[in-house]
PDB file of all heavy atoms in Angstrom:
ATOM      1  N   PRO A   1      15.825  -2.328  -3.802  1.00 97.00           N
ATOM      2  CA  PRO A   1      15.503  -1.503  -4.998  1.00 97.00           C
ATOM      3  C   PRO A   1      14.732  -2.374  -6.051  1.00 97.00           C
ATOM      4  O   PRO A   1      13.907  -1.786  -6.755  1.00 97.00           O
ATOM      5  CB  PRO A   1      16.959  -1.225  -5.598  1.00 97.00           C
ATOM      6  CG  PRO A   1      17.860  -1.115  -4.416  1.00 97.00           C
ATOM      7  CD  PRO A   1      17.323  -2.181  -3.513  1.00 97.00           C
ATOM      8  N   ASP A   2      15.015  -3.723  -6.168  1.00 98.00           N
ATOM      9  CA  ASP A   2      14.225  -4.366  -7.223  1.00 98.00           C
ATOM     10  C   ASP A   2      12.846  -4.633  -6.667  1.00 98.00           C
ATOM     11  O   ASP A   2      11.928  -4.809  -7.531  1.00 98.00           O
ATOM     12  CB  ASP A   2      14.894  -5.692  -7.379  1.00 98.00           C
ATOM     13  CG  ASP A   2      15.245  -6.693  -6.262  1.00 98.00           C
ATOM     14  OD1 ASP A   2      15.063  -6.194  -5.025  1.00 98.00           O
ATOM     15  OD2 ASP A   2      15.734  -7.827  -6.528  1.00 98.00           O
ATOM     16  N   VAL A   3      12.538  -4.667  -5.324  1.00 98.00           N
ATOM     17  CA  VAL A   3      11.150  -4.740  -4.844  1.00 98.00           C
ATOM     18  C   VAL A   3      10.438  -3.483  -5.110  1.00 98.00           C
ATOM     19  O   VAL A   3       9.229  -3.432  -5.624  1.00 98.00           O
ATOM     20  CB  VAL A   3      11.074  -5.073  -3.413  1.00 98.00           C
ATOM     21  CG1 VAL A   3       9.630  -4.938  -2.831  1.00 98.00           C
ATOM     22  CG2 VAL A   3      11.722  -6.511  -3.139  1.00 98.00           C
ATOM     23  N   LYS A   4      11.026  -2.259  -4.846  1.00 97.00           N
ATOM     24  CA  LYS A   4      10.452  -1.053  -5.229  1.00 97.00           C
ATOM     25  C   LYS A   4      10.234  -0.878  -6.624  1.00 97.00           C
ATOM     26  O   LYS A   4       9.109  -0.452  -7.019  1.00 97.00           O
ATOM     27  CB  LYS A   4      11.360   0.166  -4.727  1.00 97.00           C
ATOM     28  CG  LYS A   4      11.564   0.212  -3.197  1.00 97.00           C
ATOM     29  CD  LYS A   4      12.480   1.216  -2.825  1.00 97.00           C
ATOM     30  CE  LYS A   4      12.709   1.469  -1.279  1.00 97.00           C
ATOM     31  NZ  LYS A   4      13.652   2.634  -0.935  1.00 97.00           N
ATOM     32  N   ALA A   5      11.044  -1.190  -7.474  1.00 97.00           N
ATOM     33  CA  ALA A   5      10.884  -1.208  -8.896  1.00 97.00           C
ATOM     34  C   ALA A   5       9.669  -2.062  -9.476  1.00 97.00           C
ATOM     35  O   ALA A   5       8.885  -1.640 -10.294  1.00 97.00           O
ATOM     36  CB  ALA A   5      12.233  -1.530  -9.643  1.00 97.00           C
ATOM     37  N   PHE A   6       9.566  -3.260  -8.804  1.00 98.00           N
ATOM     38  CA  PHE A   6       8.576  -4.176  -9.146  1.00 98.00           C
ATOM     39  C   PHE A   6       7.239  -3.531  -8.822  1.00 98.00           C
ATOM     40  O   PHE A   6       6.251  -3.676  -9.659  1.00 98.00           O
ATOM     41  CB  PHE A   6       8.740  -5.505  -8.427  1.00 98.00           C
ATOM     42  CG  PHE A   6       7.689  -6.476  -8.574  1.00 98.00           C
ATOM     43  CD1 PHE A   6       7.493  -7.219  -9.619  1.00 98.00           C
ATOM     44  CD2 PHE A   6       6.625  -6.610  -7.452  1.00 98.00           C
ATOM     45  CE1 PHE A   6       6.468  -8.149  -9.765  1.00 98.00           C
ATOM     46  CE2 PHE A   6       5.587  -7.511  -7.690  1.00 98.00           C
ATOM     47  CZ  PHE A   6       5.472  -8.246  -8.692  1.00 98.00           C
ATOM     48  N   VAL A   7       7.023  -3.109  -7.581  1.00 98.00           N
ATOM     49  CA  VAL A   7       5.780  -2.460  -7.176  1.00 98.00           C
ATOM     50  C   VAL A   7       5.458  -1.230  -8.043  1.00 98.00           C
ATOM     51  O   VAL A   7       4.271  -1.149  -8.606  1.00 98.00           O
ATOM     52  CB  VAL A   7       5.848  -1.963  -5.736  1.00 98.00           C
ATOM     53  CG1 VAL A   7       4.626  -1.294  -5.372  1.00 98.00           C
ATOM     54  CG2 VAL A   7       6.007  -3.191  -4.770  1.00 98.00           C
ATOM     55  N   ARG A   8       6.285  -0.444  -8.309  1.00 98.00           N
ATOM     56  CA  ARG A   8       6.150   0.807  -9.269  1.00 98.00           C
ATOM     57  C   ARG A   8       5.753   0.295 -10.678  1.00 98.00           C
ATOM     58  O   ARG A   8       4.773   0.798 -11.211  1.00 98.00           O
ATOM     59  CB  ARG A   8       7.403   1.696  -9.371  1.00 98.00           C
ATOM     60  CG  ARG A   8       7.678   2.438  -8.077  1.00 98.00           C
ATOM     61  CD  ARG A   8       8.908   3.300  -8.241  1.00 98.00           C
ATOM     62  NE  ARG A   8       8.890   4.242  -9.391  1.00 98.00           N
ATOM     63  CZ  ARG A   8       9.776   4.397 -10.169  1.00 98.00           C
ATOM     64  NH1 ARG A   8      11.005   3.942  -9.891  1.00 98.00           N
ATOM     65  NH2 ARG A   8       9.742   5.269 -11.190  1.00 98.00           N
ATOM     66  N   ALA A   9       6.483  -0.618 -11.275  1.00 98.00           N
ATOM     67  CA  ALA A   9       6.092  -1.249 -12.439  1.00 98.00           C
ATOM     68  C   ALA A   9       4.696  -1.878 -12.477  1.00 98.00           C
ATOM     69  O   ALA A   9       3.987  -1.826 -13.480  1.00 98.00           O
ATOM     70  CB  ALA A   9       7.250  -2.162 -12.975  1.00 98.00           C
ATOM     71  N   TRP A  10       4.446  -2.518 -11.502  1.00 98.00           N
ATOM     72  CA  TRP A  10       3.080  -3.200 -11.419  1.00 98.00           C
ATOM     73  C   TRP A  10       1.980  -2.206 -11.389  1.00 98.00           C
ATOM     74  O   TRP A  10       0.996  -2.130 -12.016  1.00 98.00           O
ATOM     75  CB  TRP A  10       2.984  -4.196 -10.157  1.00 98.00           C
ATOM     76  CG  TRP A  10       1.728  -4.961 -10.175  1.00 98.00           C
ATOM     77  CD1 TRP A  10       1.585  -6.168 -10.696  1.00 98.00           C
ATOM     78  CD2 TRP A  10       0.530  -4.531  -9.510  1.00 98.00           C
ATOM     79  NE1 TRP A  10       0.199  -6.520 -10.467  1.00 98.00           N
ATOM     80  CE2 TRP A  10      -0.455  -5.638  -9.755  1.00 98.00           C
ATOM     81  CE3 TRP A  10       0.105  -3.472  -8.791  1.00 98.00           C
ATOM     82  CZ2 TRP A  10      -1.668  -5.567  -9.205  1.00 98.00           C
ATOM     83  CZ3 TRP A  10      -1.225  -3.521  -8.201  1.00 98.00           C
ATOM     84  CH2 TRP A  10      -2.011  -4.479  -8.521  1.00 98.00           C
ATOM     85  N   ALA A  11       2.215  -1.114 -10.583  1.00 98.00           N
ATOM     86  CA  ALA A  11       1.162  -0.057 -10.577  1.00 98.00           C
ATOM     87  C   ALA A  11       1.157   0.668 -11.816  1.00 98.00           C
ATOM     88  O   ALA A  11       0.020   1.014 -12.256  1.00 98.00           O
ATOM     89  CB  ALA A  11       1.635   0.890  -9.374  1.00 98.00           C
ATOM     90  N   ARG A  12       2.205   0.813 -12.669  1.00 97.00           N
ATOM     91  CA  ARG A  12       2.152   1.475 -13.935  1.00 97.00           C
ATOM     92  C   ARG A  12       1.331   0.530 -14.904  1.00 97.00           C
ATOM     93  O   ARG A  12       0.675   1.080 -15.717  1.00 97.00           O
ATOM     94  CB  ARG A  12       3.496   1.709 -14.394  1.00 97.00           C
ATOM     95  CG  ARG A  12       3.525   2.445 -15.863  1.00 97.00           C
ATOM     96  CD  ARG A  12       5.034   2.715 -16.286  1.00 97.00           C
ATOM     97  NE  ARG A  12       5.549   3.862 -15.563  1.00 97.00           N
ATOM     98  CZ  ARG A  12       6.705   4.511 -15.952  1.00 97.00           C
ATOM     99  NH1 ARG A  12       7.303   4.056 -17.076  1.00 97.00           N
ATOM    100  NH2 ARG A  12       7.078   5.487 -15.213  1.00 97.00           N
ATOM    101  N   LEU A  13       1.620  -0.767 -14.769  1.00 98.00           N
ATOM    102  CA  LEU A  13       0.817  -1.623 -15.798  1.00 98.00           C
ATOM    103  C   LEU A  13      -0.582  -1.467 -15.593  1.00 98.00           C
ATOM    104  O   LEU A  13      -1.363  -1.507 -16.655  1.00 98.00           O
ATOM    105  CB  LEU A  13       1.282  -3.209 -15.346  1.00 98.00           C
ATOM    106  CG  LEU A  13       0.558  -4.209 -16.148  1.00 98.00           C
ATOM    107  CD1 LEU A  13       0.866  -4.177 -17.590  1.00 98.00           C
ATOM    108  CD2 LEU A  13       0.831  -5.564 -15.542  1.00 98.00           C
ATOM    109  N   TRP A  14      -1.136  -1.253 -14.468  1.00 97.00           N
ATOM    110  CA  TRP A  14      -2.592  -1.189 -14.106  1.00 97.00           C
ATOM    111  C   TRP A  14      -2.990   0.339 -14.066  1.00 97.00           C
ATOM    112  O   TRP A  14      -4.199   0.628 -13.773  1.00 97.00           O
ATOM    113  CB  TRP A  14      -2.916  -1.871 -12.841  1.00 97.00           C
ATOM    114  CG  TRP A  14      -2.717  -3.316 -13.042  1.00 97.00           C
ATOM    115  CD1 TRP A  14      -1.609  -4.056 -12.402  1.00 97.00           C
ATOM    116  CD2 TRP A  14      -3.534  -4.302 -13.665  1.00 97.00           C
ATOM    117  NE1 TRP A  14      -1.777  -5.327 -12.624  1.00 97.00           N
ATOM    118  CE2 TRP A  14      -2.895  -5.613 -13.365  1.00 97.00           C
ATOM    119  CE3 TRP A  14      -4.745  -4.304 -14.296  1.00 97.00           C
ATOM    120  CZ2 TRP A  14      -3.432  -6.855 -13.896  1.00 97.00           C
ATOM    121  CZ3 TRP A  14      -5.206  -5.527 -14.827  1.00 97.00           C
ATOM    122  CH2 TRP A  14      -4.500  -6.675 -14.675  1.00 97.00           C
ATOM    123  N   ASP A  15      -2.065   1.223 -14.336  1.00 97.00           N
ATOM    124  CA  ASP A  15      -2.371   2.596 -14.433  1.00 97.00           C
ATOM    125  C   ASP A  15      -2.915   3.149 -13.074  1.00 97.00           C
ATOM    126  O   ASP A  15      -3.883   3.918 -12.941  1.00 97.00           O
ATOM    127  CB  ASP A  15      -3.394   2.947 -15.473  1.00 97.00           C
ATOM    128  CG  ASP A  15      -3.443   4.452 -15.853  1.00 97.00           C
ATOM    129  OD1 ASP A  15      -2.509   5.170 -15.605  1.00 97.00           O
ATOM    130  OD2 ASP A  15      -4.558   4.916 -16.227  1.00 97.00           O
ATOM    131  N   LEU A  16      -2.321   2.682 -12.025  1.00 97.00           N
ATOM    132  CA  LEU A  16      -2.831   3.176 -10.695  1.00 97.00           C
ATOM    133  C   LEU A  16      -2.360   4.466 -10.439  1.00 97.00           C
ATOM    134  O   LEU A  16      -1.261   4.932 -10.775  1.00 97.00           O
ATOM    135  CB  LEU A  16      -2.266   2.218  -9.533  1.00 97.00           C
ATOM    136  CG  LEU A  16      -2.772   0.632  -9.650  1.00 97.00           C
ATOM    137  CD1 LEU A  16      -2.228   0.096  -8.339  1.00 97.00           C
ATOM    138  CD2 LEU A  16      -4.151   0.524  -9.795  1.00 97.00           C
ATOM    139  N   LYS A  17      -3.164   5.315  -9.673  1.00 96.00           N
ATOM    140  CA  LYS A  17      -2.723   6.696  -9.326  1.00 96.00           C
ATOM    141  C   LYS A  17      -2.318   6.704  -7.801  1.00 96.00           C
ATOM    142  O   LYS A  17      -2.300   5.836  -7.154  1.00 96.00           O
ATOM    143  CB  LYS A  17      -4.064   7.493  -9.560  1.00 96.00           C
ATOM    144  CG  LYS A  17      -4.654   7.419 -10.975  1.00 96.00           C
ATOM    145  CD  LYS A  17      -3.710   7.692 -12.017  1.00 96.00           C
ATOM    146  CE  LYS A  17      -4.340   7.572 -13.308  1.00 96.00           C
ATOM    147  NZ  LYS A  17      -3.311   7.651 -14.573  1.00 96.00           N
ATOM    148  N   ALA A  18      -1.998   7.826  -7.440  1.00 97.00           N
ATOM    149  CA  ALA A  18      -1.475   8.134  -6.125  1.00 97.00           C
ATOM    150  C   ALA A  18      -2.551   7.759  -5.116  1.00 97.00           C
ATOM    151  O   ALA A  18      -3.737   7.925  -5.230  1.00 97.00           O
ATOM    152  CB  ALA A  18      -1.072   9.560  -5.888  1.00 97.00           C
ATOM    153  N   ASN A  19      -2.162   7.061  -3.974  1.00 97.00           N
ATOM    154  CA  ASN A  19      -2.963   6.725  -2.880  1.00 97.00           C
ATOM    155  C   ASN A  19      -4.032   5.676  -3.096  1.00 97.00           C
ATOM    156  O   ASN A  19      -4.996   5.525  -2.390  1.00 97.00           O
ATOM    157  CB  ASN A  19      -3.706   7.938  -2.309  1.00 97.00           C
ATOM    158  CG  ASN A  19      -2.628   9.009  -1.833  1.00 97.00           C
ATOM    159  OD1 ASN A  19      -1.606   8.628  -1.130  1.00 97.00           O
ATOM    160  ND2 ASN A  19      -2.779  10.196  -2.199  1.00 97.00           N
ATOM    161  N   GLU A  20      -3.922   4.806  -4.278  1.00 98.00           N
ATOM    162  CA  GLU A  20      -4.774   3.740  -4.432  1.00 98.00           C
ATOM    163  C   GLU A  20      -4.146   2.445  -3.733  1.00 98.00           C
ATOM    164  O   GLU A  20      -2.989   2.157  -3.916  1.00 98.00           O
ATOM    165  CB  GLU A  20      -4.873   3.307  -5.895  1.00 98.00           C
ATOM    166  CG  GLU A  20      -5.690   4.307  -6.744  1.00 98.00           C
ATOM    167  CD  GLU A  20      -6.171   3.835  -8.015  1.00 98.00           C
ATOM    168  OE1 GLU A  20      -6.936   2.957  -8.061  1.00 98.00           O
ATOM    169  OE2 GLU A  20      -5.571   4.298  -9.020  1.00 98.00           O
ATOM    170  N   PRO A  21      -4.839   1.907  -2.641  1.00 98.00           N
ATOM    171  CA  PRO A  21      -4.162   0.855  -1.968  1.00 98.00           C
ATOM    172  C   PRO A  21      -3.862  -0.366  -2.785  1.00 98.00           C
ATOM    173  O   PRO A  21      -4.622  -0.810  -3.708  1.00 98.00           O
ATOM    174  CB  PRO A  21      -5.397   0.488  -0.954  1.00 98.00           C
ATOM    175  CG  PRO A  21      -6.273   1.729  -0.912  1.00 98.00           C
ATOM    176  CD  PRO A  21      -6.273   2.282  -2.225  1.00 98.00           C
ATOM    177  N   ILE A  22      -2.574  -0.896  -2.533  1.00 98.00           N
ATOM    178  CA  ILE A  22      -2.200  -2.036  -3.177  1.00 98.00           C
ATOM    179  C   ILE A  22      -1.845  -3.090  -2.113  1.00 98.00           C
ATOM    180  O   ILE A  22      -1.165  -2.774  -1.099  1.00 98.00           O
ATOM    181  CB  ILE A  22      -0.886  -1.811  -3.939  1.00 98.00           C
ATOM    182  CG1 ILE A  22      -1.117  -0.720  -5.024  1.00 98.00           C
ATOM    183  CG2 ILE A  22      -0.257  -3.140  -4.517  1.00 98.00           C
ATOM    184  CD1 ILE A  22       0.187  -0.178  -5.587  1.00 98.00           C
ATOM    185  N   LEU A  23      -2.488  -4.299  -2.123  1.00 98.00           N
ATOM    186  CA  LEU A  23      -2.163  -5.339  -1.176  1.00 98.00           C
ATOM    187  C   LEU A  23      -1.102  -6.245  -1.787  1.00 98.00           C
ATOM    188  O   LEU A  23      -1.369  -6.945  -2.878  1.00 98.00           O
ATOM    189  CB  LEU A  23      -3.473  -6.202  -0.891  1.00 98.00           C
ATOM    190  CG  LEU A  23      -3.325  -7.401   0.065  1.00 98.00           C
ATOM    191  CD1 LEU A  23      -2.820  -6.863   1.439  1.00 98.00           C
ATOM    192  CD2 LEU A  23      -4.661  -8.117   0.103  1.00 98.00           C
ATOM    193  N   MET A  24      -0.007  -6.422  -1.124  1.00 98.00           N
ATOM    194  CA  MET A  24       1.065  -7.254  -1.587  1.00 98.00           C
ATOM    195  C   MET A  24       1.351  -8.365  -0.444  1.00 98.00           C
ATOM    196  O   MET A  24       1.600  -8.040   0.738  1.00 98.00           O
ATOM    197  CB  MET A  24       2.267  -6.483  -1.788  1.00 98.00           C
ATOM    198  CG  MET A  24       3.515  -7.297  -2.372  1.00 98.00           C
ATOM    199  SD  MET A  24       4.896  -6.140  -2.871  1.00 98.00           S
ATOM    200  CE  MET A  24       6.045  -7.385  -3.611  1.00 98.00           C
ATOM    201  N   GLN A  25       1.350  -9.610  -0.881  1.00 98.00           N
ATOM    202  CA  GLN A  25       1.501 -10.660  -0.001  1.00 98.00           C
ATOM    203  C   GLN A  25       2.563 -11.683  -0.431  1.00 98.00           C
ATOM    204  O   GLN A  25       2.738 -11.803  -1.616  1.00 98.00           O
ATOM    205  CB  GLN A  25       0.262 -11.580   0.037  1.00 98.00           C
ATOM    206  CG  GLN A  25      -1.072 -10.838   0.238  1.00 98.00           C
ATOM    207  CD  GLN A  25      -2.253 -11.731   0.078  1.00 98.00           C
ATOM    208  OE1 GLN A  25      -2.366 -12.872   0.622  1.00 98.00           O
ATOM    209  NE2 GLN A  25      -3.217 -11.260  -0.730  1.00 98.00           N
ATOM    210  N   ILE A  26       3.348 -12.194   0.585  1.00 98.00           N
ATOM    211  CA  ILE A  26       4.165 -13.448   0.324  1.00 98.00           C
ATOM    212  C   ILE A  26       3.473 -14.563   1.064  1.00 98.00           C
ATOM    213  O   ILE A  26       3.303 -14.420   2.352  1.00 98.00           O
ATOM    214  CB  ILE A  26       5.578 -13.235   0.679  1.00 98.00           C
ATOM    215  CG1 ILE A  26       6.295 -12.084   0.011  1.00 98.00           C
ATOM    216  CG2 ILE A  26       6.310 -14.564   0.617  1.00 98.00           C
ATOM    217  CD1 ILE A  26       7.672 -11.877   0.522  1.00 98.00           C
ATOM    218  N   THR A  27       3.073 -15.637   0.425  1.00 96.00           N
ATOM    219  CA  THR A  27       2.245 -16.590   0.990  1.00 96.00           C
ATOM    220  C   THR A  27       2.557 -18.017   0.350  1.00 96.00           C
ATOM    221  O   THR A  27       3.042 -18.005  -0.761  1.00 96.00           O
ATOM    222  CB  THR A  27       0.777 -16.320   0.971  1.00 96.00           C
ATOM    223  OG1 THR A  27       0.078 -17.367   1.691  1.00 96.00           O
ATOM    224  CG2 THR A  27       0.254 -16.208  -0.446  1.00 96.00           C
ATOM    225  N   GLY A  28       2.390 -19.118   1.103  1.00 94.00           N
ATOM    226  CA  GLY A  28       2.656 -20.298   0.417  1.00 94.00           C
ATOM    227  C   GLY A  28       2.394 -21.520   1.369  1.00 94.00           C
ATOM    228  O   GLY A  28       2.009 -21.188   2.615  1.00 94.00           O
ATOM    229  N   VAL A  29       2.752 -22.644   0.928  1.00 92.00           N
ATOM    230  CA  VAL A  29       2.522 -23.938   1.654  1.00 92.00           C
ATOM    231  C   VAL A  29       3.893 -24.802   1.642  1.00 92.00           C
ATOM    232  O   VAL A  29       4.667 -24.556   0.711  1.00 92.00           O
ATOM    233  CB  VAL A  29       1.414 -24.795   1.122  1.00 92.00           C
ATOM    234  CG1 VAL A  29       0.066 -24.056   1.259  1.00 92.00           C
ATOM    235  CG2 VAL A  29       1.588 -25.014  -0.396  1.00 92.00           C
ATOM    236  N   ARG A  30       4.061 -25.552   2.646  1.00 92.00           N
ATOM    237  CA  ARG A  30       5.162 -26.566   2.642  1.00 92.00           C
ATOM    238  C   ARG A  30       4.783 -27.649   3.513  1.00 92.00           C
ATOM    239  O   ARG A  30       3.787 -27.594   4.376  1.00 92.00           O
ATOM    240  CB  ARG A  30       6.423 -25.702   3.339  1.00 92.00           C
ATOM    241  CG  ARG A  30       6.211 -25.095   4.658  1.00 92.00           C
ATOM    242  CD  ARG A  30       7.438 -24.904   5.363  1.00 92.00           C
ATOM    243  NE  ARG A  30       8.316 -23.875   4.785  1.00 92.00           N
ATOM    244  CZ  ARG A  30       8.400 -22.560   5.100  1.00 92.00           C
ATOM    245  NH1 ARG A  30       7.677 -22.134   6.218  1.00 92.00           N
ATOM    246  NH2 ARG A  30       9.050 -21.689   4.481  1.00 92.00           N
ATOM    247  N   GLY A  31       5.394 -28.814   3.311  1.00 88.00           N
ATOM    248  CA  GLY A  31       5.170 -29.920   4.185  1.00 88.00           C
ATOM    249  C   GLY A  31       5.209 -31.256   3.368  1.00 88.00           C
ATOM    250  O   GLY A  31       5.984 -31.335   2.380  1.00 88.00           O
ATOM    251  N   GLU A  32       4.337 -32.182   3.925  1.00 87.00           N
ATOM    252  CA  GLU A  32       4.268 -33.523   3.223  1.00 87.00           C
ATOM    253  C   GLU A  32       2.794 -33.843   2.910  1.00 87.00           C
ATOM    254  O   GLU A  32       1.873 -33.142   3.406  1.00 87.00           O
ATOM    255  CB  GLU A  32       4.914 -34.558   4.081  1.00 87.00           C
ATOM    256  CG  GLU A  32       6.385 -34.243   4.366  1.00 87.00           C
ATOM    257  CD  GLU A  32       7.080 -35.223   5.440  1.00 87.00           C
ATOM    258  OE1 GLU A  32       6.248 -36.014   5.962  1.00 87.00           O
ATOM    259  OE2 GLU A  32       8.269 -35.113   5.656  1.00 87.00           O
ATOM    260  N   GLY A  33       2.723 -34.934   2.150  1.00 84.00           N
ATOM    261  CA  GLY A  33       1.342 -35.355   1.843  1.00 84.00           C
ATOM    262  C   GLY A  33       0.625 -34.494   0.724  1.00 84.00           C
ATOM    263  O   GLY A  33       1.295 -34.180  -0.163  1.00 84.00           O
ATOM    264  N   MET A  34      -0.654 -34.162   0.880  1.00 78.00           N
ATOM    265  CA  MET A  34      -1.294 -33.355  -0.119  1.00 78.00           C
ATOM    266  C   MET A  34      -2.019 -32.091   0.655  1.00 78.00           C
ATOM    267  O   MET A  34      -2.528 -32.313   1.733  1.00 78.00           O
ATOM    268  CB  MET A  34      -2.379 -34.162  -0.873  1.00 78.00           C
ATOM    269  CG  MET A  34      -3.114 -33.362  -1.970  1.00 78.00           C
ATOM    270  SD  MET A  34      -4.310 -34.386  -2.856  1.00 78.00           S
ATOM    271  CE  MET A  34      -2.928 -35.365  -3.862  1.00 78.00           C
TER     272      MET A  34
END
């Protein structure tokens, strides 16, 4: 539910309408060094 609410709130912030594509990613880095 909190993910659904986040997406809806984000779309409202930008005034997105129905059927406008939204790209949502979880991405990142891990490891050692730089």
Side-chain angles (χ1 to χ4, degrees):
D2 54 352
V3 173
K4 292 180 179 181
F6 173 81
V7 174
R8 288 179 55 215
W10 187 86
R12 179 178 288 192
L13 176 67
W14 296 100
D15 195 28
L16 297 188
K17 307 307 180 186
N19 301 315
E20 289 195 68
I22 300 168
L23 178 59
M24 187 171 182
Q25 310 170 51
I26 299 179
T27 182
V29 294
R30 55 165 65 101
E32 300 175 349
M34 181 172 290

